[in-house]
Amino acid sequence: MATIRKRRTGWQVQVRRANHPAVSKTFRLKADAEVWARRTEAEIDGQLEPGEQLLVRALTVRHLLDKYQQEVTSAKKSKRQETAIIKQFLREEFVDRPILKLSPADLSAFRDRRLSQVKPATVVRQLSVLQNAFNIAIRDWGWALKSNPVGSIRKPQIINRRDRRLNGDEFVRLITSCEQIKTPHLKELIIVAVETSLRRGELLSILWEDIDWKSRTLKVQTTKNGHPCTIPLTSDAVAVLTRFQQDHSNIFEVSANAVRLAWKRLLRRAGIHNLRFHDLRHKAISRFFEIGLSVPEVA
């Protein structure tokens, strides 16, 4: 029986068998330590030739998700969201089943049950994480799996079309109601959003040093696609930013959660329904065309 102990440098495994010298090894990840222990035991017992491909039959779905979370998810910008998805899977009955026994039927049942609880887009995101974990296990870790079971099932259809825009005097009501909300510079955040079409996360990540006042441009380091870009600033955007320039590094020194909660309070104050912060991008794009920008410039 293998013994696995937590050490300062990682996880130490020791395998003992009768009439065989003890062998040990240390791993950074516990999941890797467990895999090596089972493989080594199998080799000693003559069930596996030394150097044979990874003993996949000893692995469970939990092994896969633990290793994926520590090696892949932990390095992502979206690690918080992806970790939450992995925790959801770890509550499922099939996670402690051998990975080779996980069937498309199991995942179809998971999909259908989750569709009764959450939106299709959420289910698609959850399945995508598991599918990527299997792909990496096969491609990068050398796990001898014949196929990816997630790739065999039908994914829910996402109907995500949204046409909500600011109507009538809603923008004026938003700006006026900002005076009654304590979140600092919420009014400026909304105006800059409309003047730049930037997303909430992009706005909250930009720094004062990202502004080139001479050329009236803003360098956006953190974007949805991961590639920095430089955008022009309108006269209104420059005027707003100039008026409240601060000493701290971030232009908007506020958290995403604080903005989310403030936005809900703002909508109640303004008497506006079914409007998301992201919908401000529609108004921004309309403004770009109104001031004479061409289609390629707006893109």
Side-chain angles (χ1 to χ4, degrees):
M1 183 69 183
T3 302
I4 300 178
R5 297 185 181 91
K6 182 73 174 76
R7 292 286 188 257
R8 181 178 295 179
T9 55
W11 296 87
Q12 184 189 61
V13 191
Q14 190 171 59
V15 177
R16 291 188 177 90
R17 280 289 193 268
N19 304 316
H20 192 280
V23 290
S24 63
K25 194 171 182 179
T26 301
F27 296 86
R28 186 173 64 85
L29 303 180
K30 187 178 181 181
D32 290 343
E34 291 172 342
V35 170
W36 182 84
R38 295 185 181 186
R39 173 178 177 155
T40 302
E41 288 174 335
E43 287 180 354
I44 294 173
D45 294 342
Q47 299 172 11
L48 187 69
E49 292 296 322
E52 189 177 329
Q53 209 165 17
L54 182 67
L55 187 61
V56 178
R57 64 175 177 270
L59 299 171
T60 64
V61 180
R62 186 180 297 276
H63 284 128
L64 170 68
L65 291 172
D66 283 345
K67 185 175 173 65
Y68 179 80
Q69 195 277 325
Q70 293 179 66
E71 291 195 0
V72 181
T73 299
S74 60
K76 289 186 175 183
K77 281 179 11 181
S78 58
K79 61 184 175 184
R80 263 183 70 186
Q81 297 91 327
E82 198 160 285
T83 297
I85 291 173
I86 290 171
K87 286 181 178 178
Q88 170 67 42
F89 277 119
L90 292 177
R91 292 193 288 268
E92 296 296 321
E93 172 273 330
F94 58 69
V95 293
D96 291 312
R97 193 182 304 169
I99 201 168
L100 292 177
K101 293 187 178 180
L102 181 67
S103 68
D106 295 323
L107 297 171
S108 295
F110 168 84
R111 175 202 62 204
D112 295 342
R113 178 167 51 78
R114 291 296 287 158
L115 280 173
S116 68
Q117 301 167 339
V118 296
K119 295 178 180 179
T122 301
V123 180
V124 169
R125 281 195 297 271
Q126 292 174 337
L127 291 172
S128 295
V129 170
L130 187 60
Q131 184 168 5
N132 193 44
F134 271 100
N135 285 337
I136 287 177
I138 296 168
R139 185 180 65 242
D140 295 351
W141 301 340
W143 290 19
L145 301 169
K146 292 182 179 178
S147 63
N148 186 330
V150 189
S152 304
I153 69 170
R154 177 177 49 84
K155 305 301 187 299
Q157 184 178 6
I158 301 175
I159 303 175
N160 231 5
R161 184 184 177 92
R162 183 174 174 84
D163 292 321
R164 178 67 163 97
R165 287 169 168 76
L166 284 164
N167 298 314
D169 65 345
E170 285 184 334
F171 182 67
V172 174
R173 285 154 58 193
L174 278 179
I175 297 303
T176 303
S177 299
C178 283
E179 306 297 338
Q180 304 168 45
I181 305 297
K182 294 181 179 179
T183 302
H185 303 301
L186 181 62
K187 179 172 74 173
E188 289 83 1
L189 180 70
I190 291 172
I191 293 174
V192 174
V194 169
E195 294 296 325
T196 62
S197 82
L198 292 177
R199 300 172 178 85
R200 184 186 65 185
E202 294 167 345
L203 286 165
L204 298 182
S205 70
I206 55 180
L207 309 175
W208 287 110
E209 65 185 39
D210 294 328
I211 299 177
D212 186 330
W213 297 103
K214 187 175 181 179
S215 64
R216 294 162 57 112
T217 59
L218 171 67
K219 186 169 186 180
V220 186
Q221 306 282 1
T222 305
T223 63
K224 185 177 181 180
N225 62 18
H227 303 299
C229 66
T230 300
I231 63 170
L233 292 172
T234 64
S235 298
D236 287 347
V238 171
V240 168
L241 291 170
T242 302
R243 281 200 300 269
F244 84 103
Q245 195 165 358
Q246 306 288 315
D247 293 333
H248 47 67
S249 58
N250 282 75
I251 292 180
F252 298 103
E253 194 75 11
V254 62
S255 69
N257 190 53
V259 174
R260 181 180 63 83
L261 297 174
W263 181 257
K264 287 184 177 181
R265 293 194 299 271
L266 181 64
L267 293 184
R268 287 197 296 270
R269 290 278 188 181
I272 297 173
H273 305 284
N274 188 32
L275 183 71
R276 301 174 186 172
F277 192 93
H278 193 80
D279 295 332
L280 298 178
R281 283 167 59 83
H282 294 302
K283 181 172 178 61
I285 291 169
S286 297
R287 274 185 56 77
F288 294 158
F289 285 116
E290 288 170 4
I291 63 177
L293 295 184
S294 65
V295 173
E297 286 172 329
V298 172

